[in-house]
């Protein structure tokens, strides 16, 4: 094995074709696909999160897909530890690890490490969640704005999970989350050579793919999947409840939104999410190769050749 062992990391916005590219490369390279999408971790959300189906699973090994229960909150740090273990296992088995997903923070954590933010305090979290249930997300965002104006500007009022985390850190340490993030990060403890590939098609192409895919999700049973989630009566602050497109479907299942309107809202939310992802990757990632086309099989030979050249540099 060369001194630096290779890892392929594929990022990009939702519906850009990341999973299809990862699968094609896994078949060509003898690889294993490792999930870096925070929602595809959850077993209960297969359709809504566009998790790889039975055909993909039969064509190449996949790891960290559908492994979490819906009421189990995962963090970037927890994912990083599991992903590192899967990468080491792949190398031990002579396989090329191909890490793929649209959760930019996960990919960043793998490549660059994580800020040394203190772990959550269960007692503080319990108290803040009770406040959230009593007051609502907007009121908690106002509370965060009072205590950490800069942090509040970086978090949407409709994102209770991030609001609670920011408040937890302030209460536990007396310092805002952004102060912790600015400190020295814990570097990745590995000797891997990571080749980062970014799929960044045009916004119009991504939007069209998002809408077509959501229509397929509805045909495949997304409403039934949302109905099963609703029956679990989960805490709305849990990460799984933030899956893109889930909220409108839950409203439909509750009888407060017609299916047509729910689909329109879900497509709108998906477009907005894709736009945020594209902004994140444009500003935060440092890819070795940017692909500005929607994925198609015709791209595979060129990308495969690029990866082959990269692997050759590791043996020199």
């Amino acid at each position: 094995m060369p001194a630096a062992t290779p890892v392929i990391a594929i990022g990009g916005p939702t519906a850009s074709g990341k999973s299809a590219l990862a699968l094609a490369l896994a078949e060509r390279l003898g690889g294993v696909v490792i999930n870096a999408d925070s929602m595809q971790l959850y077993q209960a959300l297969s359709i809504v999160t566009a998790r790889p189906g039975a055909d993909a699973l039969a064509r190449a090994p996949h790891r960290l897909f559908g492994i979490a229960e819906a009421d189990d909150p995962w963090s970037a740090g927890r994912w990083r530890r599991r992903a590192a273990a899967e990468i080491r296992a792949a190398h031990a088995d002579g396989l090329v690890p191909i890490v793929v997903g649209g959760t930019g923070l996960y990919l960043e954590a793998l490549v660059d490490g994580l800020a040394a933010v203190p772990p959550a305090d269960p007692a503080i979290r319990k108290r803040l969640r009770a406040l959230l249930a009593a007051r609502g997300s907007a009121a908690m965002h106002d509370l965060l704005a009072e205590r950490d104006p800069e942090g509040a500007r970086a978090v949407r009022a409709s994102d209770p999970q991030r609001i609670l985390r920011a408040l937890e850190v302030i209460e536990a340490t007396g310092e805002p989350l952004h102060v912790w993030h600015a400190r020295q990060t814990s570097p990745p403890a590995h000797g891997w050579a990571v080749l980062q590939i970014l799929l960044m098609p045009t916004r119009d192409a991504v939007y069209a793919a998002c809408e077509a895919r959501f229509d397929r999700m509805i045909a495949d049973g997304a409403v039934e999947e949302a109905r099963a989630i609703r029956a679990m009566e989960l805490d709305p602050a849990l990460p799984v409840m933030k899956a893109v497109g889930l909220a409108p479907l839950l409203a439909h299942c509750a009888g407060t939104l017609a299916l047509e309107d729910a689909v329109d809202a879900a497509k709108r939310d998906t477009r907005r999410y894709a736009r945020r992802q594209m902004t994140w990757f444009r500003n935060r990632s440092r890819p070795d190769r940017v692909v500005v086309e929607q994925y198609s099989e015709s791209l595979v030979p060129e990308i495969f050749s690029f990866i082959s050249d990269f692997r050759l540099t590791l043996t020199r």
Side-chain angles (χ1 to χ4, degrees), residues 185-247:
T185 60
S186 56
H190 59 65
W192 308 323
V194 182
L195 179 68
Q196 298 184 72
I197 298 172
L198 179 62
L199 293 189
M200 285 285 275
T202 66
R203 184 178 294 184
D204 287 345
V206 170
Y207 285 0
C210 287
E211 297 195 2
R213 188 177 68 181
F214 202 84
D215 286 335
R216 293 194 298 272
M217 289 177 180
I218 293 298
D220 290 343
V223 173
E224 290 72 20
E225 190 169 79
R227 188 171 290 117
I229 288 285
R230 182 170 182 266
M232 295 180 187
E233 299 182 345
L234 297 168
D235 182 342
L238 285 168
V240 71
M241 300 299 283
K242 305 306 168 190
V244 178
L246 180 60

